Amino acid sequence: MPCRVCQSETIVKGLLHRCSKKTCDAVYWDKFAVKRLVKENKETSKEASPKWLTALLLEAKVPGFVRGKYYVYTLKLRKNLPKNTSAKRQTKMPNSGNGRFYVGMTGLHPYERYLNHIRGYKASWAAKKMAITMTGFEGPMTREEAEAREPARAQELRKEGYDVHSN
Ligand SMILES: [Zn+2]
């Protein structure tokens, strides 16, 4: 499976695909495999770190939680809304046609946060349903820095003509 940003080869660790190109920071989780695991582990779906999730993170060599370190991350979303999207939501999510992004901040490693979006744990609707790939992240930084950087990053992308979602 090629990188979803630059089409280069990806390096696969467990269910995490990372772009092999030095100048590209894109990564993505094998969403179907993650969803299958979520189904098989329904009883722990509301837990912050169930065993199966910890195993996935270890296998993918995602760095563990470090208190006080925050990140701002960017997810590329599908352009088109899922077919069953409510009319109300459609009006809240206009499509300029240039592409969509989700910008968020987190105290977890961004790859772990991305995985939580996919499994539906504290996930925004847009990120859960429409994330294609994480294009990159900034940090670690302090919480205050991340709180300032998150809206600034969203604004940068809007200026470039993209539709940007957060929360
Ligand atoms: Zn790439």
Side-chain angles (χ1 to χ4, degrees):
M1 294 284 275
C3 171
R4 291 170 180 172
V5 173
C6 75
Q7 311 305 319
S8 299
E9 291 277 301
T10 54
I11 299 160
V12 186
K13 273 185 195 149
L15 298 184
L16 185 68
H17 294 242
R18 295 180 193 221
C19 184
S20 60
K21 200 171 144 189
K22 285 219 163 63
T23 51
C24 179
D25 297 321
V27 305
Y28 62 88
W29 290 99
D30 180 338
K31 194 170 172 176
F32 290 104
V34 172
K35 282 186 166 173
R36 200 159 52 230
L37 281 166
V38 169
K39 251 189 192 165
E40 288 167 11
N41 295 278
K42 263 195 175 138
E43 69 285 358
T44 59
S45 65
K46 300 280 186 285
E47 292 177 16
S49 12
K51 274 188 189 135
W52 65 271
L53 193 86
T54 308
L56 267 192
L57 293 166
L58 274 176
E59 195 183 29
K61 302 215 176 347
V62 177
F65 171 74
V66 182
R67 190 175 294 278
K69 286 190 175 178
Y70 289 83
Y71 300 86
V72 173
Y73 60 94
T74 306
L75 300 173
K76 185 177 168 63
L77 307 183
R78 282 163 53 179
K79 263 190 207 174
N80 298 318
L81 298 172
K83 282 199 183 76
N84 55 359
T85 305
S86 70
K88 191 180 165 199
R89 199 183 288 278
Q90 283 183 35
T91 57
K92 280 200 290 189
M93 296 183 69
N95 183 1
S96 68
N98 297 323
R100 289 181 196 279
F101 286 93
Y102 175 91
V103 175
M105 69 170 274
T106 180
L108 299 173
H109 189 278
Y111 297 171
E112 181 173 356
R113 184 67 188 97
Y114 179 17
L115 185 56
N116 280 339
H117 277 302
I118 294 173
R119 76 174 173 114
Y121 180 77
K122 296 187 178 176
S124 90
W125 183 90
K128 182 185 177 195
K129 298 278 188 190
M130 297 170 72
I132 298 168
T133 193
M134 177 175 278
T135 56
F137 65 84
E138 298 169 32
M141 58 183 99
T142 64
R143 186 187 185 105
E144 291 70 26
E145 286 167 337
E147 279 168 353
R149 184 59 192 140
E150 182 188 20
R153 174 71 182 132
Q155 200 50 35
E156 285 171 9
L157 289 164
R158 284 194 188 97
K159 273 194 187 149
E160 289 171 34
Y162 299 115
D163 296 308
V164 183
H165 307 279
S166 43
N167 300 311

